[in-house]
Amino acid sequence: MSSSHPIDPRSFDDSRNVYRSVEEFYASDRPEYTDLPEDRPRGGEPGTFSLRHRGTWGTVALVTCIILLVLVGIALFP
């Protein structure tokens, strides 16, 4: 008796060797209503507080200061 799955041939008649199909396996833990609301909706609710980053000017100033620090260090200690 040949089969596509690797089961010991001596245990083919064992009643414990029953394998469900993929659809049956994954359908057992699905909720009845699969259309659930998002737990973190994109865009947020109107009037909610949102964290903001520093912005591009803060990043440009930080990078410029680091570049100037490196250049001054190279100029002072050649």
Side-chain angles (χ1 to χ4, degrees):
M1 186 181 249
S2 66
S3 177
S4 63
H5 44 75
I7 297 178
D8 187 359
R10 296 170 292 179
S11 66
F12 276 124
D13 296 329
D14 192 350
S15 63
R16 293 174 292 181
N17 286 333
V18 176
Y19 295 97
R20 299 184 292 175
S21 69
V22 173
E23 290 82 18
E24 292 172 338
F25 180 78
Y26 286 111
S28 64
D29 64 346
R30 299 236 170 132
E32 185 176 339
Y33 302 106
T34 56
D35 294 333
L36 299 174
E38 285 192 47
D39 57 348
R40 293 184 292 168
R42 295 180 201 105
E45 304 264 334
T48 58
F49 176 77
S50 65
L51 296 175
R52 293 187 52 183
H53 56 84
R54 279 182 248 161
T56 53
W57 288 113
T59 305
V60 168
L62 179 67
V63 171
T64 304
C65 288
I66 291 173
I67 291 173
L68 283 174
L69 184 65
V70 169
L71 291 176
V72 168
I74 291 172
L76 292 177
F77 304 102

